[in-house]
Amino acid sequence: MKTTYKKSSKKSGFSLVELLVVIAIISILSSVVFASLNSARAKGRDGKRVSDLKQLQLALELYYDAAAPASFPSGTSLSGLAPTYIQSIPVDPMNTAPYQYTYQAVNSSGAACSSGTCSSYVLKGSLESKNSALDGDYDTDSAGVDCDPSDTAASGPYTLCFRP
């Protein structure tokens, strides 16, 4: 008895259609990953902004305690804080409008204070996403030195506002 073997005509490997389907699936998955990565980066930048503003707030309080008579730096410059009360003045991670930190000294009547004894201040920064833990600190009024924590913005950027 003679045994004969027949070669298979079927080739091994992937067809072009199968490769295109796999590439499409990988593309969709990578776009989902990058989208979630971007929101995580925005939250990270917002966390740095809150930390920077809290450090500035602490440096301002240290300046106030050391000043005689007790007063915050006048005007809109924080340069008098470094290097005595804070190593360096922090800069927003994006450092482009509207993402910049602003400072305004305020006198006892609530107006901008450019000289003399400044009894208060308004320290502002912008966040990219809304954080419900900071709802009482949002402010949407950009005129003057207003800082009303009852104001909330419907969409970003959200202005984070600190007063002593």
Side-chain angles (χ1 to χ4, degrees):
M1 171 171 214
K2 188 174 179 186
T3 309
T4 59
Y5 295 100
K6 190 175 183 184
K7 280 189 174 180
S8 172
S9 63
K10 189 174 184 181
K11 295 179 181 179
S12 63
F14 297 106
S15 70
L16 181 60
V17 172
E18 292 170 329
L19 287 174
L20 290 174
V21 168
V22 169
I23 290 171
I25 291 171
I26 290 172
S27 300
I28 291 170
L29 291 175
S30 64
S31 66
V32 169
V33 168
F34 285 128
S36 63
L37 183 63
N38 283 340
S39 67
R41 285 181 181 165
K43 287 181 182 179
R45 286 189 298 266
D46 283 349
K48 182 175 180 351
R49 288 179 181 108
V50 171
S51 174
D52 287 349
L53 290 171
K54 289 290 188 180
Q55 287 178 4
L56 284 171
Q57 190 177 26
L58 178 61
L60 285 165
E61 297 298 329
L62 291 170
Y63 180 96
Y64 182 84
D65 288 341
S71 177
F72 292 104
S74 60
T76 60
S77 176
L78 292 168
S79 60
L81 298 177
T84 306
Y85 304 103
I86 191 169
Q87 185 173 0
S88 63
I89 304 300
V91 177
D92 187 272
M94 294 177 90
N95 199 24
T96 58
Y99 300 104
Q100 294 173 327
Y101 306 139
T102 60
Y103 167 79
Q104 176 63 61
V106 178
N107 62 21
S108 58
S109 63
C113 179
S114 57
S115 63
T117 303
C118 303
S119 59
S120 188
Y121 64 87
V122 175
L123 187 60
K124 292 183 181 183
S126 295
L127 301 179
E128 294 176 58
S129 57
K130 188 169 175 114
N131 184 336
S132 59
L134 301 170
D135 274 347
D137 295 326
Y138 289 117
D139 179 45
T140 55
D141 297 327
S142 58
V145 293
D146 182 42
C147 183
D148 183 1
S150 65
D151 292 338
T152 55
S155 63
Y158 303 94
T159 303
L160 187 60
C161 186
F162 292 104
R163 286 186 95 155

